[in-house]
Amino acid sequence: MVYHSTFADEEGITKACGCPLLPLKSRKKGPGPAPVSEQGKTDIVDEAITFFRCNVFFRNFDIKGPADKLLIYLTFYINLSLKKLEGCRTLAEGSKAILNLGVENVTIPGESGFPFTGLFSLPQSQQEAELLRDYLKQIREETSGRLLGVAYRPNGTPNKWWLAFAKRKFMNIALLDK
């Protein structure tokens, strides 16, 4: 069974293109709102990293709420990041590779190269498009930084129990949107 986001029933969350702009425990500048209380509370990035090694095995993902769409996007991004880290033998090399991935051109629905064309709706305005692009950039940067903490051991060597998942394909068949 797929692990779904616990943010499925969040009320009053702003959305852009059907993507919820969930609170982030982040020091990075961007449109992601800060959580009300940071003590002991997980955010969507924590969930994506925690659930990644389970969810990456599934080919289908029944969407239970808008937060699941963001979880799918982040799972795909973590998979892409691990592929970039595969050849990096030190934390310094890995940091350089993955942080560049986080800030490179972020595609949004309707642009070529966006991985999940049916997952999010098309932007209704240029302002909505930029809001989503900025949020995805912020969440990718935050995910990159936190992923380095689990993909590498404290001594700077790769964690084989994480990098082994770089070989896995995530959702190589059609999404089930319910």
Side-chain angles (χ1 to χ4, degrees):
M1 187 167 122
V2 174
Y3 287 89
H4 295 281
S5 176
T6 58
F7 295 98
D9 299 326
E10 292 289 313
E11 294 291 324
I13 297 292
T14 306
K15 291 183 183 143
C17 301
C19 176
L21 306 182
L22 296 172
L24 297 173
K25 294 186 299 185
S26 176
R27 291 192 172 84
K28 303 202 181 330
K29 205 167 124 181
V36 177
S37 171
E38 287 192 29
Q39 294 178 338
K41 181 112 167 119
T42 61
D43 65 0
I44 191 70
V45 174
D46 293 332
E47 275 190 355
I49 291 172
T50 302
F51 297 155
F52 172 78
R53 293 191 287 180
C54 300
N55 284 347
V56 76
F57 287 106
F58 293 98
R59 293 179 182 260
N60 297 323
F61 199 114
D62 293 328
I63 297 170
K64 303 270 186 198
D68 280 346
K69 294 178 180 184
L70 191 53
L71 189 62
I72 289 168
Y73 180 84
L74 287 175
T75 302
F76 177 78
Y77 178 72
I78 291 169
N79 193 300
L80 187 66
S81 299
L82 288 174
K83 286 183 192 308
K84 286 277 191 184
L85 291 175
E86 213 173 7
C88 302
R89 295 283 149 258
T90 65
L91 178 60
E93 287 176 31
S95 296
K96 187 176 177 183
I98 200 171
L99 294 176
N100 286 340
L101 179 65
V103 297
E104 70 183 25
N105 187 27
V106 177
T107 57
I108 58 171
E111 294 179 348
S112 65
F114 188 72
F116 301 107
T117 53
L119 190 60
F120 299 111
S121 59
L122 296 175
Q124 300 301 313
S125 67
Q126 185 63 31
Q127 182 182 6
E128 183 181 24
E130 287 308 311
L131 178 64
L132 181 62
R133 187 183 317 276
D134 291 344
Y135 183 72
L136 291 179
K137 184 176 179 180
Q138 179 186 11
I139 205 165
R140 285 168 58 133
E141 287 178 40
E142 189 62 34
T143 303
S144 295
R146 293 190 207 174
L147 185 60
L148 286 170
V150 295
Y152 288 90
R153 294 187 178 98
N155 66 1
T157 60
N159 182 343
K160 70 179 182 179
W161 304 113
W162 267 91
L163 294 181
F165 285 89
K167 293 172 178 38
R168 297 291 311 171
K169 289 182 182 177
F170 177 61
M171 294 186 62
N172 58 349
I173 63 173
L175 297 172
L176 299 174
D177 191 2
K178 291 187 177 183

